[in-house]
């Protein structure tokens, strides 16, 4: 069975500091990995995804994540955060099982940016 | 613009009442999903549907029911059998037949039981 563990429920950082949000997964089949972001009282939006190929994937707003198969991790990083990055971030693992896509989410990490 | 519309945004219900949450999409997506979000627990899958007139239970289907009579619509009914219905409910849709599909989410409906 698939599962996702986000190791930190809350991460406070200062503006312009670097940040890493940690995600570990378990999956017995092929792996598709996602990071979604949720701003207050909104739905989730895709931040980035790993499907195959290069293990380093990037988003348009400066986030990046690296797929590490040996450590079963997909940590999210940004070298310099902004106030606008304040949100909750969800890591997810996906697969096609019995004729349907099954997406399993982690518990979420709340990123708070302090000025 | 294409997207997913959930209504109502906020809903209050007395104990013992059924309530239906609406989810409509104009993305021409085949698959639709309902998730429940509680603080510190991430998102948990309630029901999903890959095609019209067919749907499957997710991980926490007890106390909920759905229908999929049209491709565009996937309403969720929270019944009185759901022991703890206060939560944020998210509807999503996806196109394709692969585990690599990206889900598009609605803005959510917040249900509070008084």
């Amino acid at each position: 069975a698939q599962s996702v563990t986000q190791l930190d429920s809350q991460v406070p950082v200062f503006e312009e500091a670097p940040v890493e949000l940690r995600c570990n997964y378990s999956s017995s089949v092929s792996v598709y990995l996602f990071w979604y972001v949720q701003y207050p009282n909104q739905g989730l939006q895709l931040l980035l995804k790993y499907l195959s190929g290069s293990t380093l994937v990037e988003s348009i707003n400066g986030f990046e994540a690296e797929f590490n198969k040996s450590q079963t991790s997909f940590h999210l990083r940004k070298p310099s955060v902004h106030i606008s990055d304040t949100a909750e971030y969800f890591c997810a693992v996906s697969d096609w099982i019995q004729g349907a896509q099954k997406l399993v989410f982690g518990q979420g990490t709340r990123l708070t940016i302090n000025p | 613009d294409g997207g997913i519309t959930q209504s109502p945004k906020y809903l209050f219900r007395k104990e013992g009442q059924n309530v239906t949450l609406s989810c409509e999409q104009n993305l021409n997506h085949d698959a639709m999903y309902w998730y429940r979000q509680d603080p510190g627990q991430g998102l948990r899958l309630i029901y999903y549907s890959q095609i019209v007139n067919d749907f499957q239970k997710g991980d926490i289907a007890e106390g909920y029911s759905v229908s999929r009579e049209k491709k565009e619509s996937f309403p969720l009914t929270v019944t009185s059998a759901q022991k703890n219905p206060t939560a944020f409910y998210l509807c999503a849709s996806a196109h394709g037949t692969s585990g690599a599909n990206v889900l598009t989410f609605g803005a959510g409906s917040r249900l509070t039981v008084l």
Side-chain angles (χ1 to χ4, degrees):
Chain A
Q2 299 167 294
S3 68
V4 175
T5 301
Q6 291 183 243
L7 298 162
D8 306 293
S9 60
Q10 297 186 59
V11 174
V13 295
F14 288 107
E15 194 171 16
E16 298 183 8
V19 70
E20 178 180 78
L21 306 184
R22 296 179 292 170
C23 171
N24 286 93
Y25 69 91
S26 73
S27 177
S28 59
V29 292
S30 58
V31 175
Y32 302 111
L33 293 160
F34 301 81
W35 277 99
Y36 284 85
V37 59
Q38 184 179 35
Y39 300 102
N41 293 312
Q42 293 186 26
L44 277 67
Q45 304 171 33
L46 178 70
L47 189 60
L48 47 74
K49 62 184 177 182
Y50 170 78
L51 305 180
S52 65
S54 172
T55 57
L56 186 65
V57 291
E58 299 177 351
S59 72
I60 59 173
N61 57 353
F63 282 93
E64 64 179 29
E66 186 163 17
F67 169 59
N68 188 319
K69 187 174 182 179
S70 63
Q71 297 187 9
T72 60
S73 68
F74 191 54
H75 301 332
L76 182 70
R77 302 184 181 95
K78 189 171 185 180
S80 176
V81 296
H82 302 286
I83 291 286
S84 59
D85 293 324
T86 296
E88 190 154 20
Y89 293 80
F90 292 92
C91 182
V93 62
S94 176
D95 203 352
W96 188 260
I97 300 173
Q98 295 180 330
Q101 181 177 14
K102 203 70 182 300
L103 197 65
V104 175
F105 288 88
Q107 301 89 331
T109 299
R110 187 171 299 278
L111 177 62
T112 304
I113 312 300
N114 299 307
Chain B
D1 289 340
I4 297 181
T5 302
Q6 289 188 241
S7 62
K9 191 171 178 67
Y10 299 96
L11 186 60
F12 297 89
R13 186 194 94 178
K14 293 182 180 179
E15 281 193 30
Q17 289 181 334
N18 292 355
V19 62
T20 297
L21 308 180
S22 171
C23 177
E24 302 280 332
Q25 55 102 355
N26 60 2
L27 300 165
N28 200 33
H29 286 173
D30 293 309
M32 297 188 74
Y33 305 81
W34 273 106
Y35 287 90
R36 170 180 170 141
Q37 184 178 12
D38 298 282
Q41 296 193 49
L43 278 72
R44 293 180 290 169
L45 182 63
I46 305 173
Y47 268 97
Y48 58 101
S49 169
Q50 286 294 139
I51 57 172
V52 174
N53 292 322
D54 189 37
F55 49 82
Q56 287 79 40
K57 293 182 178 180
D59 301 318
I60 56 164
E62 185 175 352
Y64 300 97
S65 66
V66 293
S67 63
R68 187 84 188 276
E69 297 176 0
K70 299 186 300 182
K71 187 176 185 177
E72 303 80 19
S73 179
F74 192 41
L76 174 73
T77 297
V78 184
T79 75
S80 56
Q82 169 51 233
K83 300 294 184 218
N84 184 21
T86 294
F88 191 51
Y89 291 88
L90 287 161
C91 180
S93 70
H95 174 69
T97 54
S98 163
N101 299 332
V102 174
L103 267 61
T104 300
F105 283 85
S109 293
R110 188 170 297 280
L111 172 63
T112 302
V113 174
L114 305 173

